[in-house]
Amino acid sequence: MSDTLSMPLFPLGTVLYPGGALPLQIFEVRYLDLIKRCLREDTEFGVVSLFEGGEIRRPGEQLSLAQYGTLARIENCEAPAPALLRIQTVGTRRFKLHQVTQQKGGLWVGDIELLEVDPPVPIPDDLLHCADKLKEILESLEEQDIPEDQWPFHRPYRFDDCSWVANRWCELLPLEKPVKLQLLSLSNPLLRLELINDQLQEEGLL
């Protein structure tokens, strides 16, 4: 096993992918403290998907967390009220979760193993339609005059890269959580896009 590091965790019902946009509204004390520390120290936190338990703290809470997650970097933070933060985050790097503990204040901390960053892999000709379909979505949103900050994914766009295109479809498609996590765990971005291509065909989108 590679070296592990301790990372504060934010358990959520969703699955975050590298390059993915994730807005969050923070009001629990444990996460307010976490976000303020991340902003002060310019650090990231881990987003990991919930199998059991809720996002909001409850007495005696029991959580079952996914084995894989993604680090999140804070890109923007607003404080509309004294005990409320609204942040915009972006997924950066995948990790494997090995052990989890809960601190006295309720914050979950995990021993994580950072996984290799996806290498840039050009999209082969037989899968270019996956990128073209994403472009159509953006064109449709633009035609509807929907503000760009409300689009499901943000710049920089990398329509020529297997990993980026596959990750955006992983976020958009109505996949079961185990499938989303399996795709997140894959170290081969071309394989991830090939599997997404199969899903797009099953959904009748191609």
Side-chain angles (χ1 to χ4, degrees):
M1 182 174 66
S2 302
D3 292 340
T4 60
L5 64 153
S6 180
M7 181 65 59
L9 300 177
F10 204 123
L12 290 172
T14 188
V15 180
L16 178 65
Y17 294 83
L22 178 65
L24 292 171
Q25 186 162 276
I26 312 296
F27 52 87
E28 288 190 73
V29 172
R30 55 178 171 175
Y31 295 131
L32 288 169
D33 292 342
L34 167 62
I35 298 307
K36 290 174 183 176
R37 185 168 78 246
C38 288
L39 289 168
R40 184 172 61 250
E41 301 175 359
D42 192 23
T43 54
E44 301 177 336
F45 58 91
V47 173
V48 63
S49 188
L50 282 161
F51 278 124
E52 179 183 346
E55 296 179 358
I56 299 175
R57 187 181 184 187
R58 293 177 176 82
E61 66 179 341
Q62 296 294 322
L63 297 187
S64 175
L65 302 178
Q67 190 177 17
Y68 291 90
T70 301
L71 297 182
R73 182 182 72 245
I74 302 170
E75 294 200 315
N76 185 52
C77 180
E78 298 177 351
L84 177 65
L85 295 176
R86 292 194 181 117
I87 62 173
Q88 293 287 339
T89 73
V90 62
T92 60
R93 189 163 173 180
R94 299 175 303 125
F95 64 82
K96 186 175 183 179
L97 182 62
H98 289 288
Q99 186 173 343
V100 180
T101 56
Q102 190 174 30
Q103 296 180 340
K104 185 177 180 180
L107 183 69
W108 293 94
V109 176
D111 292 333
I112 69 166
E113 172 191 352
L114 292 177
L115 302 179
E116 292 295 327
V117 176
D118 286 344
V121 178
I123 298 177
D125 290 345
D126 62 331
L127 294 175
L128 284 174
H129 49 256
C130 297
D132 292 339
K133 199 69 179 179
L134 269 187
K135 292 177 185 177
E136 288 179 15
I137 292 175
L138 289 194
E139 290 169 359
S140 174
L141 295 173
E142 191 171 19
E143 290 171 358
Q144 299 173 60
D145 292 326
I146 296 176
E148 193 168 333
D149 60 3
Q150 296 178 25
W151 293 3
F153 43 92
H154 300 161
R155 299 180 187 273
Y157 306 139
R158 292 160 50 201
F159 292 108
D160 59 348
D161 182 70
C162 282
S163 175
W164 190 88
V165 171
N167 288 349
R168 302 296 74 79
W169 277 120
C170 287
E171 296 161 354
L172 291 173
L173 287 172
L175 304 174
E176 296 291 334
K177 188 177 294 183
V179 176
K180 285 180 175 283
L181 290 166
Q182 180 191 25
L183 291 165
L184 179 67
S185 72
L186 294 175
S187 59
N188 184 333
L190 176 56
L191 175 58
R192 195 181 308 143
L193 185 58
E194 289 173 341
L195 293 172
I196 282 295
N197 181 64
D198 294 342
Q199 293 287 340
L200 288 171
Q201 291 179 341
E202 288 183 16
E203 294 287 336
L205 296 174
L206 297 177

